[in-house]
Amino acid sequence: MTDLNAAAVRDQLGLDGTYAPWTDALAAAHPAPPPAGVPRGAELTALLRAVGVPEREDAELTAALAEVTAAGSPYAWLLDRAVAALAAAMGSVGDDRGGPGSGPALPAALGAAGRWFHTAVFLAAVPEVRAYHARRDVPDDVSRATLADLGSKVGVHRRLHGEGGMGNQRWMTLPYGGILYRLGRLQFNLDHDPEAGRGLEVHIPEGGPLDPRACEESYARAAEFFPRRFGAFLYGATEGAAGGGELRLNCASWLLDPRLGQYLPADSNIIRFQRRFTLDPHEPARVPEPDEHGLAVPDRGIVEFVFRRVVRTPADVAALPARTTLERAVVAHIADGGHWGSPRGSFMLPVPG
């Protein structure tokens, strides 16, 4: 069999020219990577449970993995190089995180194999991520909670699109790239803000109420966890030697939109979460531009998070079944001609000496 190259892979999978930068970068960076390993049988089942993939996805995902990992296939060519790229970029922070491993979604015409391809990349990368965690002395419970984000995103894909798959490959290079960790209720990743400097970005995963006490516990864990393991990045100090001082925590989210205060009680969890952060004085005045359908990017983001629905127009939003105070706020604000923002805020977190 003739050895595959990037052009042949695109041809066999029907990938148009928009995939050329990704496939060419994979070929250039990793011309002869080791085969990516994905377990089978009972070991695969155990791995899927360990990373939180719902059992209902097992049959289709298992069949897709057999196709994606078939020796000599164009999928396997992509998989081997994408996993190698992800491993090579382990621990990197910035726009190049994951390198060419975080490629674009494959065409819908490829069916289940295309929808599950990037899941295969992250499953194959688990041993590399776990080894990196071990080198950083990441506790096993933190490692497992962090990697379980894959299953969470698989669940979100099912609720958004009504079919199996995973479309958050760019995001997944954070937890599977060694720079994001779940510490209780919240997630944190290493961040290098061009203006504010180095610190942590705060994220709010699915997982129950945004309880203020649980958030404070997560902040306290972050203040201990990151300086000890990533002191060189945060402070330019030897790993584990940085103690005391402060750590900047940043968050960019619709949860910080001050317009939520017009709809939610002052003692609601979201408003109390907002109070922890100080917005740039220009942030509240920034109004996102709607697209040709009448919705701005943060409008879609808040609807997808709160309702787990994909919407195109304000009419789609108006038709959503709004039952909770937050759901009614999301719908009412857009119905009144408003738009939601995704402002950025920060606060300084004391680090124990």
Side-chain angles (χ1 to χ4, degrees):
M1 179 181 293
T2 304
D3 289 338
L4 288 172
N5 57 34
V9 166
R10 292 194 298 272
D11 182 65
Q12 291 188 29
L13 293 179
L15 306 180
D16 62 28
T18 62
Y19 290 86
W22 174 49
T23 54
D24 289 346
L26 287 175
H30 304 282
V38 178
R40 300 189 178 190
E43 290 186 11
L44 173 59
T45 300
L47 175 60
L48 295 180
R49 298 294 86 77
V51 298
V53 174
E55 188 174 348
R56 66 176 295 177
E57 309 294 355
D58 284 7
E60 183 183 78
L61 176 52
T62 299
L65 288 173
E67 184 175 355
V68 167
T69 58
S73 72
Y75 286 116
W77 187 96
L78 286 175
L79 179 67
D80 294 345
R81 286 157 181 80
V83 173
L86 186 63
M90 191 70 61
S92 65
V93 179
D95 292 339
D96 62 342
R97 68 175 189 266
S102 56
L106 296 183
L110 293 175
R115 287 187 277 107
W116 288 111
F117 172 78
H118 288 289
T119 306
V121 173
F122 296 112
L123 290 173
V126 166
E128 183 71 27
V129 185
R130 292 280 281 173
Y132 180 81
H133 287 177
R135 292 195 298 272
R136 293 280 176 165
D137 193 28
V138 174
D140 187 64
D141 64 325
V142 174
S143 178
R144 291 182 178 279
T146 297
L147 296 183
D149 202 45
L150 179 62
S152 175
K153 297 302 182 286
V154 167
V156 168
H157 188 281
R158 168 70 66 178
R159 298 200 298 278
L160 279 174
H161 304 289
E163 61 183 2
M166 198 280 295
N168 297 79
Q169 64 271 15
R170 179 66 175 166
W171 162 265
M172 290 307 304
T173 62
L174 293 171
Y176 280 70
I179 65 171
L180 178 146
Y181 297 88
R182 181 160 187 174
L183 302 173
R185 180 64 186 89
L186 302 174
Q187 296 167 314
F188 305 86
N189 69 268
L190 298 170
D191 179 52
H192 189 183
D193 187 283
E195 298 180 3
R198 301 188 177 198
L200 303 178
E201 193 80 11
V202 181
H203 303 280
I204 305 88
E206 290 189 319
L210 196 59
D211 180 71
R213 180 176 297 180
C215 291
E216 290 300 323
E217 291 174 353
S218 290
Y219 298 141
R221 291 181 67 180
E224 183 280 330
F225 179 89
F226 283 94
R228 174 183 169 191
R229 294 167 177 85
F230 299 97
F233 172 82
L234 293 169
Y235 305 109
T238 302
E239 302 293 357
E246 292 182 313
L247 185 61
R248 179 181 294 276
L249 267 59
N250 308 304
C251 183
S253 172
W254 58 266
L255 282 162
L256 298 187
D257 191 326
R259 285 170 281 260
L260 284 165
Q262 302 171 20
Y263 302 92
L264 303 180
D267 62 349
S268 69
N269 286 345
I270 289 178
I271 300 303
R272 293 170 72 181
F273 178 82
Q274 286 187 355
R275 293 195 192 111
R276 225 9 182 123
F277 295 83
T278 299
L279 298 186
D280 180 295
H282 300 293
E283 287 282 358
R286 292 175 182 164
V287 179
E289 289 292 329
D291 59 20
E292 68 273 18
H293 301 293
L295 292 178
V297 171
D299 295 335
R300 301 181 189 282
I302 191 171
V303 168
E304 289 188 8
F305 191 96
V306 174
F307 290 94
R308 292 309 182 194
R309 302 285 186 89
V310 176
V311 292
R312 295 181 65 251
T313 68
D316 293 340
V317 178
L320 293 171
R323 300 183 180 92
T324 69
T325 301
L326 177 59
E327 290 172 349
R328 289 191 290 270
V330 171
V331 172
H333 187 68
I334 295 174
D336 288 341
H339 296 286
W340 295 106
S342 185
R344 188 171 179 81
S346 64
F347 71 90
M348 300 305 295
L349 180 70
V351 174

